[in-house]
Amino acid sequence: MENTGLGNSRIGQIAINVHDLERAITFYRDVLGMNFLFQAPPNMAFFICGDVRLLLGLPDKPEFDHPASIIYYRVDDIHATCSALSAKGVTFEHEPALVHKAENHDLWIAFFRDTEDNLLALMSEVSKS
């Protein structure tokens, strides 16, 4: 039987609702350091993060006008990344927090908001070796 589930799929694109596209482009490009791909006037801009494309766009229907799901950006050094982003004006909800101790790594999380009030997060799996 053919597997028609998504278990072996990859995320191709994530849409993030914004209300001020130019402000959001500046934040994702200049503050977060995302790689800007292109803008599709008047409502969309595209970035690449690893293998995943991010679409920043104005909601085209009222039912789509809500904050995005939380996107967790994987970083190697969460403390250094938080310091660098804080220096660029990003306000974190709290200091990086150890949320789980696994056998081979510790999981650290830190939450912040973009210019459109979407909640975002950094995550870092710190090896115990």
Side-chain angles (χ1 to χ4, degrees):
M1 177 172 288
E2 184 179 337
N3 180 359
T4 58
L6 298 178
N8 293 325
S9 296
R10 293 177 296 148
I11 294 173
Q13 180 169 290
I14 297 172
I16 301 171
N17 288 333
V18 303
H19 291 107
D20 184 326
L21 187 60
E22 292 304 318
R23 179 178 66 193
I25 289 171
T26 299
F27 180 79
Y28 280 81
R29 182 190 60 218
D30 300 342
V31 176
L32 296 185
M34 296 284 171
N35 293 317
F36 179 74
L37 294 175
F38 60 93
Q39 189 167 350
N43 298 343
M44 296 180 290
F46 294 85
F47 290 80
I48 193 75
C49 181
D51 293 333
V52 178
R53 189 169 53 205
L54 300 178
L55 180 166
L56 304 182
L58 298 158
D60 59 354
K61 295 180 182 177
E63 62 265 28
F64 296 139
D65 190 7
H66 57 78
S69 299
I70 301 171
I71 299 172
Y72 290 76
Y73 295 100
R74 185 185 302 259
V75 298
D76 292 329
D77 185 334
I78 197 166
H79 294 90
T81 303
C82 285
S83 292
L85 291 178
S86 292
K88 292 182 176 183
V90 174
T91 301
F92 284 84
E93 304 278 315
H94 57 75
E95 294 293 317
L98 175 61
V99 296
H100 177 69
K101 289 185 175 221
E103 186 174 316
N104 60 348
H105 70 274
D106 291 337
L107 176 61
W108 290 78
I109 302 288
F111 293 96
F112 63 101
R113 293 187 184 272
D114 70 7
T115 56
E116 307 305 303
D117 207 31
N118 292 304
L119 187 64
L120 304 172
L122 301 177
M123 63 178 283
S124 184
E125 292 178 346
V126 180
S127 176
K128 290 185 177 180
S129 58

